[in-house]
Amino acid sequence: MTMKVTVLGPWGAFPKAGEATAGYLLETGGGKRYLIDCGSGVLSALQRIIPLHALDGAFVSHRHYDHTADLGCLQYGCLIESDLALRQGNLPIYFAGESEAEIAYKSMKGSVIYPVGAGRKLKLDDLTVTFFKTYHGVYCLGMAFEAGGRKLVYTADTTFDERLIPHCADADVLIAETSFYADMEASEYGHMNAAEVATLAKEAGARKLVLTHLPHFGELPKLAEEAAAGFEGEIVLATCGLDISLG
């Protein structure tokens, strides 16, 4: 295994009862574990898989609550586990923002907030992370993760824009926000619909498409049906606990 990602929360805006908004656990072949976004309910879901002190880092795409609601609690957890000598060293939290002044969360014992901007590339052991600008109502970054010749891309929140295509190019797995059905206007809300997501996946040459940041209305399987009309690769509807292995 070069990478495995587990969906902790697939919902946009607010969590379905007993579930969570945006959150994903990324595990590398080198044994490192990273949290991607930290929405409402994510910490509870994460601890069904690993204890908090087993986490090696976190990435936050933007400041909206459905992506950050549990972040303060994660920091409290790191503080307590540091005092109990369960956590060795501070948890690095890479937060989308061009300066510390743009980020409401601050470093505390057990965790350190690092602002990251578009174009930044991080090398973390066997994992390379590249951040790219998306097109949302606030400053927001998508992320491309590469390890062992495999590529995972997370769009975070965004409207459709052709400038996203190069960043998603040749993704083995593309996790793409799909907040609306194909016949609905998504851009005015800063999101994509199922037809736009299919276009992005097709033009980028993605091999597997995972639909996430799901709406709380309509029949969700229809999103996959609509995406299949424009993308011939494998399509998966994100669900809590879904595991996706790369290599």
Side-chain angles (χ1 to χ4, degrees), residues 225-236:
E225 294 170 8
E226 293 174 340
F231 175 65
E232 296 180 352
E234 183 181 358
I235 299 172
V236 177

Side-chain angles (χ1 to χ4, degrees), residues 36-37 59-61 129-132 141-145 152-154:
I36 306 170
D37 277 338
F59 308 99
V60 181
S61 64
V129 188
T130 305
F131 300 88
F132 58 91
L141 297 178
M143 305 166 202
F145 303 91
L152 166 72
V153 178
Y154 172 55

Side-chain angles (χ1 to χ4, degrees), residues 2-225:
T2 58
M3 287 185 283
K4 183 178 82 169
V5 62
T6 301
V7 177
L8 303 173
W11 297 102
F14 63 96
K16 182 178 177 180
E19 298 191 1
T21 60
Y24 310 85
L25 174 62
L26 176 64
E27 300 177 79
T28 72
K32 299 295 184 180
R33 301 178 178 96
Y34 300 97
L35 182 64
I36 306 170
D37 277 338
C38 194
S40 178
V42 165
L43 280 196
S44 177
L46 175 65
Q47 291 175 94
R48 296 188 189 106
I49 304 170
I50 61 169
L52 294 184
H53 62 261
L55 203 58
D56 294 292
F59 308 99
V60 181
S61 64
H62 65 295
R63 62 180 173 83
H64 280 161
Y65 296 133
D66 52 341
H67 295 254
T68 63
D70 275 10
L71 186 58
C73 291
L74 172 60
Q75 290 190 276
Y76 287 154
C78 290
L79 185 156
I80 291 167
E81 291 190 334
S82 293
D83 285 345
L84 295 174
L86 294 172
R87 167 163 290 282
Q88 305 301 316
N90 294 323
L91 180 76
I93 301 172
Y94 302 97
F95 199 114
E98 295 178 297
S99 70
E100 290 186 7
E102 297 176 339
I103 300 172
Y105 295 87
K106 303 301 178 185
S107 300
M108 64 173 65
K109 184 178 181 180
S111 61
V112 179
I113 303 285
Y114 295 101
V116 290
R120 176 82 179 274
K121 181 175 286 191
L122 294 176
K123 180 67 176 177
L124 304 170
D125 297 299
D126 56 336
L127 181 70
T128 300
V129 188
T130 305
F131 300 88
F132 58 91
K133 177 178 171 58
T134 72
Y135 305 93
H136 195 45
V138 298
Y139 190 77
C140 186
L141 297 178
M143 305 166 202
F145 303 91
E146 297 179 77
R150 300 289 185 175
K151 182 177 181 180
L152 166 72
V153 178
Y154 172 55
T155 68
D157 287 7
T158 186
T159 59
F160 176 77
D161 192 292
E162 291 184 349
R163 288 172 287 183
L164 296 171
I165 294 170
H167 301 293
C168 301
D170 301 317
D172 293 285
V173 175
L174 174 61
I175 300 177
E177 76 113 285
T178 313
S179 301
F180 290 90
Y181 296 89
D183 60 349
M184 302 179 73
E185 176 55 56
S187 62
E188 64 179 288
Y189 299 100
H191 294 292
M192 290 190 287
N193 66 31
E196 292 167 329
V197 168
T199 298
L200 176 60
K202 178 181 178 181
E203 294 300 317
R207 280 168 277 286
K208 183 172 187 174
L209 173 61
V210 179
L211 309 181
T212 196
H213 204 271
L214 303 174
H216 290 271
F217 52 87
E219 299 297 326
L220 295 182
K222 185 180 177 183
L223 293 170
E225 294 170 8

